[in-house]
């Protein structure tokens, strides 16, 4: 496994136990180009890994079974993407090695941050290295894409342009604006149906992908990236359909955020700051209003340095 893959997992193994860190992401931009013949939507989105992660512990079992235990009880089942990733590997290679999975969730669930997708990708990479499996990156990509549209991104992480359903990944050089050093995420206490958000899109919400392309160029040429450039085709519909999200956005602005954007299909909102002092002050104000507020930053999980400009 190359350095970037190893770094992505932040893997620690000892005999029959493997610990893995599984990082979340934000959508810096999200263009929806239109609906495809297969029922999915064609996307162009800039995604970035962030330093907010779940921890997965994998333990070998003598018997031929896979078990799941999560600190979020509703995720302790065979539908969990980690279990599905393990079973996909076992089925593809005809393996009978048993595994006990423990998942400590810190990334908010169903929040537009890709937590479940990241869990699946980190598990695939961990098994490939830990069990020394004869799986190429193409094999892993095929398994990942079969499980979910966001999962292939997490096989590499960092900064990337994702197209198609999100499964076509173009890794980008890790350039990031210094004015966006600190990321503040706010998760309203509400669940948003991704399927419903996409169903409620109107033709006016569709773009030609220009927002994501422009952001890509600005980042790669280390040019100024304006808050107004961070477009999300889903944001209008989410703000109109979910009053709690619209209220959280306004309260972030009232607390001192210079702008607020939706990550993915939400409901998580994010803003950025160039100093910790300002970021922490806004976070404290929002936490005093009982919001889940996470202060984090962009990372490249492969331990590749980020160039700030």
């Amino acid at each position: 496994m190359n350095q970037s893959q190893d770094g992505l997992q932040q893997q620690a193994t000892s005999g029959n136990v493997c610990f893995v860190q599984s990082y979340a992401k934000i959508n810096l931009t999200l263009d929806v180009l239109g609906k495809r013949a297969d029922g999915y939507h064609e996307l162009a989105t800039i995604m970035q890994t962030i330093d907010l992660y779940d921890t997965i512990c994998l333990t070998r079992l003598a018997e031929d079974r896979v078990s799941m235990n999560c600190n979020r009880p509703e995720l302790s089942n065979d539908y969990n993407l980690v279990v599905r990733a393990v079973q996909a590997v076992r089925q593809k290679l005809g393996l009978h090695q048993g595994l006990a999975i423990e998942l400590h969730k810190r990334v908010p669930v169903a929040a537009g941050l890709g937590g479940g997708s990241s869990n699946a990708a980190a598990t695939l990479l961990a098994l490939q290295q830990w069990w020394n499996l004869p799986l190429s990156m193409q094999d892993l990509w095929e398994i990942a894409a079969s499980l979910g549209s966001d999962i292939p991104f997490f096989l590499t992480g960092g900064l990337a342009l994702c197209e198609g359903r999100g499964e076509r990944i173009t890794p980008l050089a890790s350039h990031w604006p210094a004015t966006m050093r600190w990321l503040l995420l706010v998760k309203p206490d509400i669940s948003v149906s991704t399927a419903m958000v996409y169903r409620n899109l109107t033709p006016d919400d569709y773009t030609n992908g220009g927002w994501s392309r422009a952001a890509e160029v600005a980042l790669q040429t280390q040019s100024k990236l304006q808050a107004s450039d961070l477009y999300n085709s889903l944001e209008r519909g989410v703000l109109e359909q979910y009053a709690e999200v619209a209220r959280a956005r306004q309260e972030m602005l009232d607390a001192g955020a210079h702008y607020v954007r939706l990550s993915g299909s939400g409901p998580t909102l994010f803003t950025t700051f160039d100093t910790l002092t300002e970021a922490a002050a806004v976070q404290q104000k929002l936490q005093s209003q009982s919001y889940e507020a996470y202060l984090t930053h962009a990372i490249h999980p492969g331990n590749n340095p980020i160039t700030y400009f």
Side-chain angles (χ1 to χ4, degrees):
M1 181 173 288
N2 64 32
Q3 181 183 8
S4 66
Q5 294 165 8
D6 183 58
L8 176 63
Q9 298 173 68
Q10 296 294 306
Q11 178 175 300
T13 60
S14 178
N16 292 325
V17 176
C18 174
F19 275 94
V20 188
Q21 291 177 354
S22 166
Y23 293 91
K25 59 83 178 169
I26 60 166
N27 296 80
L28 201 59
T29 63
L30 200 166
D31 285 284
V32 180
L33 282 63
K35 196 166 185 179
R36 297 156 39 128
D38 61 7
Y40 289 96
H41 284 79
E42 189 76 14
L43 307 177
T45 176
I46 301 288
M47 297 210 289
Q48 169 67 54
T49 310
I50 59 175
D51 191 28
L52 176 64
Y53 60 87
D54 298 329
T55 301
I56 305 167
C57 177
L58 306 172
T59 304
R60 293 180 191 262
L61 295 177
E63 58 269 37
D64 181 6
R65 66 183 179 88
V66 176
S67 67
M68 161 59 75
N69 182 29
C70 182
N71 63 316
R72 295 283 299 262
E74 69 274 20
L75 300 180
S76 297
N77 57 63
D78 291 344
Y79 299 104
N80 190 296
L81 279 168
V82 178
V83 178
R84 293 172 59 195
V86 171
Q87 296 291 28
V89 169
R90 281 167 33 106
Q91 181 177 2
K92 183 176 181 65
L93 298 178
L95 302 177
H96 299 284
Q97 173 64 59
L99 200 64
I101 304 163
E102 294 175 307
L103 172 59
H104 180 211
K105 291 293 294 183
R106 292 178 62 244
V107 178
V109 176
L113 300 175
S117 295
S118 175
N119 295 162
T123 299
L124 290 173
L125 290 167
L127 291 179
Q128 182 200 40
Q129 183 178 29
W130 185 34
W131 288 355
N132 194 26
L133 300 177
L135 293 173
S136 66
M137 282 303 293
Q138 178 63 27
D139 293 330
L140 292 180
W141 183 91
E142 290 174 0
I143 295 172
S146 73
L147 295 171
S149 299
D150 280 351
I151 300 175
F153 163 76
F154 288 103
L155 293 175
T156 52
L159 181 67
L161 171 67
C162 306
E163 299 173 282
R165 292 185 292 115
E167 84 286 2
R168 295 205 315 268
I169 314 300
T170 304
L172 304 176
S174 294
H175 302 317
W176 195 254
T179 54
M180 297 168 57
R181 281 193 294 268
W182 294 99
L183 292 163
L184 179 61
L185 315 180
V186 172
K187 162 65 168 61
D189 187 18
I190 185 177
S191 296
V192 167
S193 167
T194 299
M196 182 177 295
V197 170
Y198 276 97
R199 277 199 303 271
N200 289 333
L201 284 170
T202 70
D204 288 341
D205 296 315
Y206 296 151
T207 75
N208 63 2
W211 295 98
S212 294
R213 299 287 182 187
E216 175 192 4
V217 170
L219 290 167
Q220 296 306 279
T221 60
Q222 302 182 54
S223 306
K224 191 165 185 179
L225 188 65
Q226 303 283 356
S228 57
D229 298 329
L230 307 183
Y231 181 80
N232 184 332
S233 292
L234 306 179
E235 187 172 298
R236 178 205 59 78
V238 171
L239 292 176
E240 289 182 2
Q241 295 160 36
Y242 297 93
E244 294 90 338
V245 181
R247 181 164 57 250
R249 176 183 179 277
Q250 185 58 53
E251 291 182 346
M252 289 175 71
L253 293 169
D254 293 344
H258 304 295
Y259 69 93
V260 178
R261 292 291 180 269
L262 187 76
S263 180
S265 59
T268 300
L269 301 158
F270 72 90
T271 188
T272 63
F273 300 93
D274 60 354
T275 69
L276 175 60
T277 300
E278 189 177 13
V282 175
Q283 180 191 30
Q284 290 169 9
K285 288 179 184 177
L286 292 164
Q287 287 176 331
S288 71
Q289 299 175 62
S290 300
Y291 280 111
E292 286 184 56
Y294 301 85
L295 192 54
T296 183
H297 59 93
I299 62 165
H300 194 296
N303 294 324
N304 295 329
I306 292 178
T307 301
Y308 289 93
F309 64 91

